[in-house]
Amino acid sequence: MFDFTLLAPIGAVVALIFAIVMAKSVLKNSEGTEQMAKIAGSIRKGAMAYLKRQYITVAKVFVVVFVVLLILAFLHQLSFFTPIAFLTGGIFSALAGFFGMKIATSANARTAWAAKESLNKGLRVAFSAGSVMGFVVVGLGLVDFSIWYFILKAVYAGLPAPEQAAQITMQMLTFGMGASTMALFARVGGGIFTKAADVGADLVGKVEAGIPEDDPRNPAVIADNVGDNVGDVAGMGADLYESNVGARVSACALAVTAGLGFEGIAATMAIVAIGVFASVIGSFFVKTKEDADQKALLSALRRGTYIAAILVAVASFFVVRGLLGMEHIGVFGAVISGLLAGILIGYFTEYYTADAYKPTQKLAGTSETGSATIIIGGLALGMRSTVIPVVIVVASIMASFYLAGGMQSYSLGLYGIALSAVAMLSTLGITLATDAYGPVADNAGGIAEMTGLGEDVRKRTDALDSLGNTTAATGKGFAIGSAALTALALLVSYIDQVRAISPDYTLNLQLTNPPVLVGVLIGAMLPFIFAAMTMESVGRAAQSIVVEVRRQFREIAGLMEGTAEADYHTCVDLCTKSAQKEMVAPAILGIAVPIVVGIVFGVNGVVGMLGGATAAGFVLAIMMANAGGAWDNAKKYIESGAFGGKGSDNHKAAVVGDTVGDPFKDTSGPSINILIKLLSIVSIVFATVVINCSLIK
Amino acid sequence: MFDFTLLAPIGAVVALIFAIVMAKSVLKNSEGTEQMAKIAGSIRKGAMAYLKRQYITVAKVFVVVFVVLLILAFLHQLSFFTPIAFLTGGIFSALAGFFGMKIATSANARTAWAAKESLNKGLRVAFSAGSVMGFVVVGLGLVDFSIWYFILKAVYAGLPAPEQAAQITMQMLTFGMGASTMALFARVGGGIFTKAADVGADLVGKVEAGIPEDDPRNPAVIADNVGDNVGDVAGMGADLYESNVGARVSACALAVTAGLGFEGIAATMAIVAIGVFASVIGSFFVKTKEDADQKALLSALRRGTYIAAILVAVASFFVVRGLLGMEHIGVFGAVISGLLAGILIGYFTEYYTADAYKPTQKLAGTSETGSATIIIGGLALGMRSTVIPVVIVVASIMASFYLAGGMQSYSLGLYGIALSAVAMLSTLGITLATDAYGPVADNAGGIAEMTGLGEDVRKRTDALDSLGNTTAATGKGFAIGSAALTALALLVSYIDQVRAISPDYTLNLQLTNPPVLVGVLIGAMLPFIFAAMTMESVGRAAQSIVVEVRRQFREIAGLMEGTAEADYHTCVDLCTKSAQKEMVAPAILGIAVPIVVGIVFGVNGVVGMLGGATAAGFVLAIMMANAGGAWDNAKKYIESGAFGGKGSDNHKAAVVGDTVGDPFKDTSGPSINILIKLLSIVSIVFATVVINCSLIK
């Protein structure tokens, strides 16, 4: 019989080839006028400079962690594969970020220029650029997985099949830490960079100097454009790369625990690979007509995603029947529930944050009584918007557990939960393409503005940009939903891991066991402190930009008159440095807390902490992302003429909301995704240490 | 041997006698000038009108719930004592609120007039009025407890001692629902009333009409003063009445489960009674010298609380040794840990919210860059401030569990946790006196302002008022800390209850059991939606006040000139009506969710939900209370001359922060205390229903 695990490398190759094709199709377009090429060049240079600096910082951290892991391996607390896999995970994630950013920042001017020709052409260029990020993330993730899977299979070839499968999957569980550490820097660092630049540019440029957004006289304007890319392309990509890795390894491990052996691994990998093929097919359906309005554009993007999801759903049925047999056909239900959950969370995120719907329109109305009421309104909206995603995730967990067979076999049900996360992420190629499309379109709009392209071009880039705001919001919903499911899957795998390492360890995971209980309390607090730290980081970093921009306006003669050029580079550099510096404390928090909690309260405490952090983190992240998105769009809704329009007192109140929302939706909210996964993966890697050293067993 | 449970009725009598003595000492003072008496009369009348209306609404709800409980009793899902005890619990809590408010609203003008004589005299009057609330709450709570305890003891007299004790305590666990329902209306309704009046008065009076705070021309000024009383006296009192009841009954039940029998009950009650005596003694130490500054005043109040705590600590040692024997002396450690936790949480709440310390001073500085940055700064401060209280509660849980003997006997450890909550609340008489002092001093300041008492009197009332702000903040910390511990104790008792009702029920409380896991997720979301609902309620209610105040300014000729009187009554009435109306949805949420979750996900799901809600609710409540407190004091700090002082742009930014903080600290934050306890108590009352009807066992 065909070895279905071979679908993993095949999927990897298909994804990478498709990414290359897409990249070429982007690059064959013209960057437009010389000025456009120059600005695009500055953005690209800035983004690459940021990445370079980030990779240097990350490299240092990787060396330290690598040495620690190596020492642990020598002390028999870890396998020797783990430190090496830690490196490869980080390197592949970094590579994905590099290629994705390279193409995204090469596509902005090209999108603007293509939009001169037609709306559809602009859409295609931007979406193709986004696809590169999507498929590189998926492809390289599969490359890393495949390499290690086949190496470990060979290493453990002497063992009987069930044990061999168990050894492979248990080993691979610890391999996620490279991707996690990379994601931490990309997502949190990117989030700090982008909002520091945005807030800094706005505070001095728009408010003090009174020049419009995206004005080339603003020294922070390039940094602002770079920020869109490092935040929403590289950051989002690394975030989902990590989710993808985490969901996959935990599903494989739980499949083996559930007694499905290599068939279980093969089924999981087949679904992942099918997702790649389905995403490729889906992406051909993303096109639009010239007279498309906002709704038509959105449905063009949606069509691709939905088609991909339907293809995965249909094919999964045959995969499950073929590999696991009709007795396990219920596992197919877990796939469906994961796919549905991803789509529904995205939809309701849009409902709560887009100005086409009631909640954001009503929020815009609260600006009538000033900035305090729009702040209260936005916070309440964010809090209220947590209900439906929680219900969706709860329904998805219960459905996957019971449909997969949780009543007969507990571990089969747990495999169902992990598989629903895999299914949700299976169409990542096209979902992430849709997300990464946003910053490209945003940048294209900025370049069109800066270079004074014609009214009709700007109307088209505006339409594309505005669509990007919607996809950014749904992308965030998808990212946090998948992060929560992945974190839960990792949590369950962690316990398996502990049982495998030390069968005698006294696991008492009852919620009323004091270590579990206090773990939940500590865990619930972590997302709050993480959010506080990242919000304060943005504040400090933005402050340094403010000082620099003011200095340039003061010292560079002719800058305001447009006769001298601003020193964009220094602003980019400052944002980069601040982001790297501000990363340190949250990174230490995320890595140290699971170890400290483990050593003080034992495995039971760690499990409580992971549960508390995932639950509270999921809710807080949605609240922050949706409040931020709604404030942003409430402001845009007012700018479009509602409630007094631009320049009114209501607009000023809405700007306050938008500014508060900036770090909410682009820094702190998304950073919580990383936190909850990082906590789980660190717990898994340090399981042996905690088992051996904990004070309370 | 002396029956130490008799200390309960003795403590009740002592508390009530002391309350009467204090009330008389307040009432023997003069209300001052005729104008003062008139204003005080209006406030008193408004407060009493509010209470009357609230009691009518509550009575209707009580009838409905009583009938439901009665039907359940007929269906053998509950004992027939429960519906009756539900009524008595509600009635005693209501009575406590009535007397406390009566004296508090009789003391405001008297405090202002006494302050004319000396600072110490003003302090004594205000503090004595607060003591009435404190000791009535403690006393009536003990009356209710004693009556039922001795009735049930007689009813089950035929059983052998251990079974008799078990029956009594299990029955009494369900008796908390009356106090909980009352607390819901008092705390949430009071919170909505007070902030609707405050925000409404400020928005039109200060901002639109440009008249100062506490100006008698403002039609909402009396409602504002009434609000202080219904929120911080009646609301806080009912909140802590409920905590007190919950902690006590769960500690008694767990003592019996731990095999301590009637000695365990006696020890628990003895500690409660000692707390009463200690509080009486402590309150004599609250006095100050004429030239006292803020610090001296604060230490005057603190002295009383600390002395009471030390007395309880010392006496508890002998109680534990005498009643439980040296083998259980570790239980004494639980008492100490509870007392310490209460004091420490209060202290750190003050640290994060008082303008004498760095955090609030730095927050005031963020106003330099506008309202958006002070909002972000306050939210970050609130989030950051959750760390220490979580660490304190975690340490307290672990210490009480292990010190009480959790290593040898699991249930002994759980009794330790519940007892630490009892110990924390043992000095409630004086702690609550300190809290309820706040609104009295606040009102006194308002009356002094409105009636134009001399500069020196106002300086004294300002000093007393400002102290009240600090005690209000620490009181909130104490209330949420005790609510969290009480909720956890009730959670543990709930499981005991389930085991007692149905020994065969499949309890799988492991965090990884899907019903538990989704319960935690749902639970973590509940405080957020509750906060959203209550914030939106304040917004709607304030809006109706704004409309009314504008109408009065427009229609009542001579109002602005001071020749005609405002129609205060209508504003009070509007706030009352809004508060009652807005209560409905949160009340339904709090009562329905545990039943629905129970029926869908079974007992395991309920336990998960209680754990998630308590953890996330504790963190969110602290965040909201502290952010609100810090914004309030940052504004006051600027008003005192820092960062540009009153009227500066910084001040305007700080006002935005303060307005956002109002519903945070006085409505939503404190309401979460009620939510987490109510969820537990509803779960306990409906345990049999859930056991019999749940879809997932």
Side-chain angles (χ1 to χ4, degrees):
Chain A
M1 203 180 97
F2 174 71
D3 178 359
F4 276 86
T5 53
L6 284 174
L7 280 176
I10 295 172
V13 171
V14 169
L16 292 177
I17 289 176
F18 188 68
I20 292 168
V21 172
M22 287 289 112
K24 288 205 166 158
S25 87
V26 168
L27 295 175
K28 73 164 196 267
N29 290 281
S30 158
E31 280 205 292
T33 66
E34 199 183 322
Q35 200 195 354
M36 287 172 73
K38 198 181 141 199
I39 293 176
S42 297
I43 297 174
R44 193 159 53 242
K45 231 174 64 192
M48 289 301 146
Y50 168 80
L51 271 196
K52 195 178 147 194
R53 180 84 59 105
Q54 180 176 292
Y55 291 160
I56 293 173
T57 314
V58 173
K60 289 179 196 158
V61 174
F62 265 67
V63 169
V64 174
V65 177
F66 176 77
V67 170
V68 170
L69 296 180
L70 212 58
I71 293 171
L72 289 176
F74 272 110
L75 296 171
H76 304 291
Q77 310 284 308
L78 267 183
S79 117
F80 276 99
F81 295 119
T82 307
I84 306 166
F86 170 75
L87 293 183
T88 67
I91 289 168
F92 281 113
S93 174
L95 267 181
F98 177 80
F99 288 122
M101 280 271 276
K102 185 103 192 164
I103 298 300
T105 53
S106 299
N108 39 26
R110 290 181 167 88
T111 299
W113 197 248
K116 216 172 134 81
E117 202 172 308
S118 83
L119 184 63
N120 185 47
K121 206 131 186 254
L123 175 70
R124 280 305 310 179
V125 173
F127 179 73
S128 301
S131 304
V132 176
M133 187 68 199
F135 285 92
V136 164
V137 161
V138 171
L140 290 180
L142 275 174
V143 168
D144 192 36
F145 182 89
S146 305
I147 293 175
W148 281 109
Y149 176 76
F150 290 105
I151 287 179
L152 289 172
K153 201 169 172 191
V155 168
Y156 296 111
L159 296 173
E163 265 180 62
Q164 186 194 12
Q167 277 298 334
I168 296 171
T169 53
M170 281 296 158
Q171 290 290 345
M172 288 186 76
L173 260 184
T174 64
F175 291 3
M177 197 168 160
S180 287
T181 311
M182 195 63 226
L184 181 77
F185 280 83
R187 186 57 127 166
V188 183
I192 295 170
F193 183 115
T194 179
K195 288 302 115 175
D198 189 3
V199 173
D202 283 1
L203 276 182
V204 189
K206 277 207 277 194
V207 181
E208 290 181 16
I211 54 178
E213 187 148 358
D214 287 328
D215 191 298
R217 287 173 292 175
N218 191 331
V221 71
I222 297 293
D224 190 6
N225 279 291
V226 170
D228 293 336
N229 291 292
V230 302
D232 277 352
V233 179
M236 175 79 91
D239 183 350
L240 287 163
Y241 185 101
E242 184 199 10
S243 285
N244 216 359
V245 169
R248 199 180 294 154
V249 294
S250 58
C252 289
L254 291 165
V256 173
T257 309
L260 300 173
F262 280 109
E263 282 72 26
I265 299 177
T268 310
M269 296 321 302
I271 290 167
V272 171
I274 287 167
V276 174
F277 312 142
S279 298
V280 170
I281 296 171
S283 68
F284 286 112
F285 288 86
V286 178
K287 53 188 168 205
T288 189
K289 279 177 291 188
E290 189 46 35
D291 54 350
D293 58 357
Q294 192 64 18
K295 224 171 119 186
L297 273 174
L298 186 59
S299 71
L301 282 183
R302 284 243 179 88
R303 204 183 306 132
T305 317
Y306 290 172
I307 289 173
I310 292 168
L311 290 176
V312 171
V314 173
S316 299
F317 177 80
F318 298 100
V319 167
V320 173
R321 198 181 63 171
L323 283 166
L324 306 178
M326 277 312 281
E327 58 179 317
H328 292 310
I329 198 67
V331 167
F332 170 65
V335 174
I336 299 294
S337 97
L339 284 168
L340 266 180
I343 288 171
L344 288 175
I345 290 180
Y347 173 76
F348 282 102
T349 309
E350 195 201 326
Y351 171 74
Y352 276 106
T353 58
D355 62 11
Y357 301 96
K358 275 267 159 59
T360 299
Q361 290 175 357
K362 267 180 68 180
L363 178 63
T366 61
S367 66
E368 301 256 24
T369 34
S371 39
T373 44
I374 200 169
I375 295 293
I376 295 177
L379 292 169
L381 180 151
M383 288 176 168
R384 200 175 265 281
S385 74
T386 62
V387 176
I388 294 177
V390 166
V391 170
I392 293 170
V393 166
V394 162
S396 170
I397 290 172
M398 295 308 284
S400 350
F401 181 83
Y402 286 106
L403 289 175
M407 290 290 270
Q408 297 85 49
S409 152
Y410 201 73
S411 38
L412 211 47
L414 296 179
Y415 169 61
I417 295 177
L419 194 65
S420 75
V422 170
M424 187 192 260
L425 288 157
S426 65
T427 56
L428 186 60
I430 189 161
T431 325
L432 186 51
T434 316
D435 298 344
Y437 154 92
V440 176
D442 188 348
N443 271 212
I447 291 176
E449 175 78 30
M450 282 189 258
T451 58
L453 287 185
E455 187 66 37
D456 52 332
V457 179
R458 262 190 286 173
K459 222 179 115 191
R460 287 188 198 135
T461 56
D462 278 358
L464 295 173
D465 180 14
S466 162
L467 176 64
N469 286 325
T470 304
T471 61
T474 55
K476 267 161 208 150
F478 181 81
I480 173 63
S482 58
L485 274 184
T486 302
L488 292 177
L490 286 169
L491 159 62
V492 175
S493 308
Y494 169 62
I495 298 161
D496 259 17
Q497 182 91 333
V498 170
R499 286 215 180 89
I501 295 170
S502 168
D504 303 333
Y505 193 91
T506 322
L507 282 175
N508 176 356
L509 303 177
Q510 296 203 66
L511 195 58
T512 46
N513 186 21
V516 179
L517 197 59
V518 303
V520 173
L521 268 168
I522 294 170
M525 171 266 281
L526 292 176
F528 285 81
I529 178 73
F530 207 72
M533 288 166 99
T534 46
M535 282 201 288
E536 287 167 357
S537 291
V538 170
R540 275 188 300 264
Q543 202 52 46
S544 68
I545 298 299
V546 166
V547 171
E548 169 61 19
V549 173
R550 279 187 190 148
R551 184 196 67 79
Q552 291 200 23
F553 274 127
R554 203 173 50 234
E555 295 182 4
I556 302 179
L559 180 55
M560 270 305 273
E561 296 72 33
T563 54
E565 200 179 55
D567 176 8
Y568 304 128
H569 174 73
T570 309
C571 287
V572 173
D573 199 49
L574 253 178
C575 284
T576 306
K577 276 188 196 147
S578 306
Q580 302 308 317
K581 201 179 79 185
E582 296 289 345
M583 278 297 314
V584 181
I588 291 176
L589 180 81
I591 295 175
V593 167
I595 303 174
V596 173
V597 167
I599 287 179
V600 177
F601 300 107
V603 171
N604 300 317
V606 172
V607 171
M609 178 203 68
L610 296 178
T614 305
F618 179 53
V619 177
L620 185 64
I622 294 173
M623 181 228 147
M624 295 187 88
N626 287 356
W631 275 318
D632 188 355
N633 286 323
K635 186 195 71 172
K636 292 202 171 109
Y637 187 62
I638 293 177
E639 284 171 356
S640 77
F643 300 109
K646 217 163 174 167
S648 64
D649 275 352
N650 296 351
H651 184 241
K652 278 187 200 124
V655 168
V656 173
D658 183 39
T659 312
V660 173
D662 269 339
F664 262 52
K665 72 180 198 304
D666 290 319
T667 313
S668 303
S671 296
I672 295 172
N673 305 353
I674 309 295
L675 174 73
I676 60 180
K677 290 177 289 180
L678 184 68
L679 293 173
S680 308
I681 204 83
V682 171
S683 303
I684 289 175
V685 171
F686 287 86
T688 316
V689 176
V690 163
I691 290 170
N692 292 331
C693 309
S694 65
L695 303 173
I696 300 173
K697 295 290 170 182
Chain B
M1 204 180 95
F2 174 71
D3 179 359
F4 277 86
T5 53
L6 284 175
L7 280 176
I10 295 172
V13 171
V14 169
L16 292 177
I17 290 175
F18 188 68
I20 292 168
V21 171
M22 286 290 112
K24 289 206 166 156
S25 88
V26 168
L27 295 176
K28 74 165 196 270
N29 290 282
S30 157
E31 279 204 293
T33 66
E34 198 183 320
Q35 199 194 356
M36 287 171 74
K38 195 180 144 201
I39 294 176
S42 297
I43 297 175
R44 192 159 52 243
K45 229 175 63 192
M48 288 303 147
Y50 169 80
L51 270 195
K52 194 179 149 195
R53 180 84 60 105
Q54 179 175 292
Y55 290 161
I56 292 172
T57 314
V58 173
K60 290 179 195 159
V61 174
F62 265 67
V63 169
V64 174
V65 177
F66 176 76
V67 170
V68 171
L69 295 180
L70 212 58
I71 294 171
L72 288 177
F74 272 110
L75 297 171
H76 304 292
Q77 309 284 307
L78 267 182
S79 117
F80 276 98
F81 294 120
T82 307
I84 307 166
F86 170 75
L87 293 184
T88 66
I91 289 168
F92 281 115
S93 174
L95 267 181
F98 177 80
F99 288 121
M101 281 270 277
K102 185 104 191 162
I103 298 301
T105 53
S106 299
N108 39 25
R110 290 181 167 89
T111 299
W113 197 248
K116 217 171 133 81
E117 202 171 308
S118 83
L119 185 63
N120 186 46
K121 202 122 193 262
L123 175 71
R124 280 305 312 178
V125 174
F127 179 75
S128 301
S131 304
V132 176
M133 187 69 199
F135 285 92
V136 165
V137 161
V138 171
L140 290 179
L142 274 174
V143 168
D144 192 36
F145 182 88
S146 305
I147 292 175
W148 281 107
Y149 176 75
F150 289 105
I151 287 179
L152 289 172
K153 203 171 170 189
V155 168
Y156 296 110
L159 297 173
E163 265 180 61
Q164 186 194 12
Q167 278 298 335
I168 296 171
T169 53
M170 280 296 156
Q171 290 289 346
M172 289 186 77
L173 260 184
T174 65
F175 291 3
M177 196 166 160
S180 286
T181 310
M182 195 61 227
L184 182 76
F185 279 83
R187 187 57 129 163
V188 183
I192 294 170
F193 182 116
T194 178
K195 288 302 116 175
D198 188 3
V199 173
D202 283 1
L203 276 182
V204 189
K206 275 207 278 192
V207 180
E208 290 180 17
I211 54 178
E213 188 148 355
D214 288 327
D215 190 298
R217 287 172 295 174
N218 191 331
V221 71
I222 296 293
D224 191 7
N225 278 291
V226 170
D228 293 336
N229 290 292
V230 302
D232 277 353
V233 179
M236 176 78 93
D239 183 352
L240 287 163
Y241 185 101
E242 184 199 9
S243 284
N244 215 1
V245 169
R248 198 181 297 153
V249 294
S250 58
C252 289
L254 290 165
V256 173
T257 309
L260 299 175
F262 280 108
E263 282 72 28
I265 299 176
T268 310
M269 296 323 301
I271 290 168
V272 171
I274 287 167
V276 174
F277 311 142
S279 297
V280 170
I281 296 170
S283 68
F284 286 113
F285 288 87
V286 178
K287 55 188 167 203
T288 189
K289 277 178 294 188
E290 189 45 35
D291 55 350
D293 57 359
Q294 192 61 19
K295 226 172 118 185
L297 273 174
L298 187 58
S299 71
L301 283 182
R302 285 245 179 86
R303 203 182 305 131
T305 316
Y306 290 172
I307 287 173
I310 292 170
L311 290 176
V312 171
V314 173
S316 298
F317 177 80
F318 297 101
V319 168
V320 173
R321 198 180 64 172
L323 283 166
L324 307 178
M326 275 311 280
E327 56 180 318
H328 291 310
I329 198 66
V331 167
F332 170 65
V335 175
I336 299 294
S337 97
L339 284 167
L340 265 180
I343 288 170
L344 287 175
I345 289 180
Y347 173 76
F348 282 102
T349 308
E350 194 201 328
Y351 171 75
Y352 276 105
T353 58
D355 63 10
Y357 302 95
K358 273 267 156 62
T360 299
Q361 291 174 357
K362 267 181 69 181
L363 178 62
T366 61
S367 67
E368 301 257 22
T369 36
S371 39
T373 43
I374 200 170
I375 294 294
I376 295 178
L379 291 169
L381 180 150
M383 289 176 168
R384 202 176 263 284
S385 74
T386 62
V387 176
I388 294 176
V390 166
V391 170
I392 292 170
V393 166
V394 162
S396 169
I397 290 173
M398 296 307 286
S400 347
F401 181 82
Y402 286 106
L403 290 175
M407 289 291 268
Q408 297 85 49
S409 152
Y410 201 73
S411 39
L412 212 48
L414 296 179
Y415 169 60
I417 295 177
L419 193 65
S420 75
V422 171
M424 187 192 260
L425 288 157
S426 64
T427 56
L428 187 60
I430 189 162
T431 325
L432 186 49
T434 317
D435 298 343
Y437 153 92
V440 175
D442 188 346
N443 270 212
I447 292 175
E449 176 77 32
M450 282 189 260
T451 55
L453 287 186
E455 187 67 35
D456 51 333
V457 180
R458 262 190 287 172
K459 222 178 115 192
R460 285 186 199 136
T461 57
D462 277 358
L464 295 173
D465 181 13
S466 162
L467 176 64
N469 286 324
T470 305
T471 60
T474 56
K476 268 161 206 148
F478 182 81
I480 173 63
S482 59
L485 275 184
T486 302
L488 292 177
L490 286 169
L491 160 62
V492 175
S493 307
Y494 170 61
I495 297 161
D496 258 17
Q497 183 91 333
V498 170
R499 287 214 180 90
I501 295 169
S502 168
D504 302 332
Y505 193 91
T506 323
L507 283 176
N508 177 355
L509 303 177
Q510 295 204 65
L511 194 59
T512 47
N513 186 22
V516 179
L517 197 58
V518 303
V520 173
L521 267 168
I522 294 170
M525 171 265 282
L526 293 177
F528 284 82
I529 179 71
F530 207 72
M533 289 166 98
T534 45
M535 281 200 290
E536 288 167 356
S537 292
V538 170
R540 276 189 298 266
Q543 201 54 44
S544 67
I545 298 298
V546 166
V547 171
E548 169 61 18
V549 173
R550 279 188 190 148
R551 184 196 67 79
Q552 292 199 21
F553 273 127
R554 204 175 49 235
E555 295 181 4
I556 302 178
L559 179 56
M560 268 307 273
E561 296 72 34
T563 54
E565 199 177 56
D567 175 9
Y568 303 127
H569 174 72
T570 309
C571 286
V572 173
D573 198 49
L574 254 178
C575 284
T576 305
K577 276 189 194 147
S578 307
Q580 301 310 316
K581 200 178 81 186
E582 296 289 344
M583 277 298 314
V584 180
I588 292 176
L589 181 82
I591 295 174
V593 167
I595 302 173
V596 173
V597 167
I599 287 178
V600 177
F601 300 106
V603 171
N604 300 316
V606 172
V607 171
M609 179 204 67
L610 295 178
T614 306
F618 179 53
V619 177
L620 186 64
I622 294 172
M623 182 227 145
M624 295 187 88
N626 287 357
W631 275 318
D632 187 356
N633 286 323
K635 186 194 70 174
K636 291 200 173 113
Y637 186 60
I638 292 177
E639 284 172 355
S640 77
F643 299 109
K646 217 163 175 167
S648 63
D649 276 351
N650 296 351
H651 183 242
K652 278 186 199 123
V655 168
V656 173
D658 183 38
T659 311
V660 173
D662 269 340
F664 262 52
K665 70 180 200 303
D666 289 320
T667 314
S668 304
S671 296
I672 294 173
N673 304 353
I674 309 295
L675 175 73
I676 60 180
K677 289 177 289 181
L678 183 69
L679 293 172
S680 307
I681 204 83
V682 171
S683 303
I684 288 175
V685 171
F686 288 86
T688 315
V689 176
V690 164
I691 290 171
N692 293 331
C693 309
S694 65
L695 303 173
I696 299 172
K697 297 288 168 185

